[in-house]
Amino acid sequence: MNKKIDSIIIGMGNIGYFYDQNLNQNFILSHNRAININKNFNLIAVVDNDNSKIKKIKKNFKNKLYLSVDSCLKIHNPELVVVATPKNTHYKILKKLLIKKSVKFIVCEKPVCSTLEQFQKILNLQKKYKKKIFINYTRNYNPALNTIKKNIDKKVYGSFNKGIVWYTKDLVENGSHFVSLMIYFFGIPKNYRLIDKNNNSEIDFLLIFKD
């Protein structure tokens, strides 16, 4: 029997915990449920410092709940860490995780960092300490979409001239999922263009790929 991967979740908000709490077990919308139902993982701790969330979750985690990343890492040696905190906290948290010897894999919500400079520093640390960071673009790991990717590469669908994607809310939180998916399907765009519509009330963008 393979040893389970000791895991922690930092950030117990909607994506960390609450999205699927009122749904049956067939719906997996949070990191907490995804880890708990997978026999390969062992959730050893969770971290959050929001009192309103702590009141709601503390009875379910008892001795597993910590108020800071530092206090958690002082006691536990996880292999996998999920970072599901507000985006402005990612850089500071990732730096701590990358120098933690036990940590091998990090799953981070997007955006990874607030600036390109921060992101480059994280990439440098990742290479230095030989860690693996996965951004939580789940569609890129969907078996059905993996099949579509293979069919695109084999030109099963013929040639593409145009594709349209609609998304809700903002580009960083939602739209970036589809940007990532298009890059997965077609490679790095050779160009992009912003399209200003309706007197600045709506901004669309166009990704232009090779061929």
Side-chain angles (χ1 to χ4, degrees):
M1 181 176 173
N2 293 331
K3 179 183 177 296
K4 290 187 176 183
I5 297 173
D6 287 340
S7 309
I8 68 173
I9 301 172
I10 302 173
M12 297 299 282
N14 287 331
I15 192 65
Y17 180 79
F18 289 101
Y19 269 147
D20 50 24
Q21 282 307 293
N22 295 322
L23 303 174
N24 67 49
Q25 293 295 314
N26 293 325
F27 291 90
I28 305 170
L29 302 177
S30 71
H31 293 296
N32 174 68
R33 182 169 291 182
I35 290 174
N36 277 312
I37 69 168
N38 192 313
K39 63 183 179 181
N40 296 307
F41 298 92
N42 176 35
L43 185 63
I44 58 174
V46 300
V47 180
D48 207 296
N49 60 7
D50 186 320
N51 287 328
S52 63
K53 296 190 186 81
I54 291 169
K55 290 178 182 178
K56 295 176 182 177
I57 69 174
K58 63 180 181 180
K59 65 179 180 180
N60 296 325
F61 294 99
K62 297 181 180 178
N63 297 328
K64 290 184 177 181
L65 177 59
Y66 293 83
L67 301 182
S68 73
V69 175
D70 290 337
S71 61
C72 181
L73 295 181
K74 191 176 293 186
I75 296 175
H76 296 288
N77 295 297
E79 291 181 67
L80 169 70
V81 181
V82 175
V83 179
T85 55
K87 59 188 177 184
N88 62 311
T89 66
H90 290 180
Y91 178 63
K92 185 177 180 179
I93 291 172
L94 288 171
K95 286 199 299 181
K96 293 179 180 181
L97 297 177
L98 287 167
I99 64 174
K100 175 73 173 177
K101 188 175 181 179
S102 68
V103 175
K104 297 178 181 178
F105 312 101
I106 300 169
V107 176
C108 187
E109 286 298 327
K110 72 287 176 191
V112 176
C113 295
S114 299
T115 68
L116 187 59
E117 181 183 5
Q118 288 180 349
F119 182 62
Q120 188 58 60
K121 288 180 180 179
I122 291 301
L123 286 181
N124 292 339
L125 287 173
Q126 178 194 20
K127 292 175 182 177
K128 178 180 178 179
Y129 293 103
K130 298 179 180 179
K131 312 287 185 177
K132 293 185 181 295
I133 299 178
F134 300 89
I135 305 172
N136 192 32
Y137 289 124
T138 55
R139 292 169 180 81
N140 295 24
Y141 308 99
N142 185 312
L145 295 177
N146 294 160
T147 299
I148 292 175
K149 163 65 174 172
K150 291 177 182 177
N151 288 340
I152 290 173
D153 292 342
K154 295 177 181 177
K155 299 190 182 299
V156 172
Y157 308 123
S159 299
F160 289 92
N161 293 318
K162 182 174 71 173
I164 300 174
V165 174
W166 286 274
Y167 61 91
T168 59
K169 299 182 181 178
D170 66 5
L171 174 60
V172 171
E173 298 299 329
N174 281 14
S176 61
H177 276 281
F178 299 101
V179 173
S180 176
L181 184 61
M182 293 304 103
I183 291 173
Y184 172 60
F185 280 165
F186 304 113
I188 300 298
K190 67 177 184 180
N191 205 346
Y192 70 92
R193 188 161 70 239
L194 296 179
I195 304 170
D196 190 348
K197 293 170 55 177
N198 299 334
N199 297 320
N200 294 319
S201 64
E202 182 180 349
I203 299 291
D204 288 340
F205 64 94
L206 180 68
L207 296 179
I208 304 169
F209 295 90
K210 183 180 178 182
D211 302 326

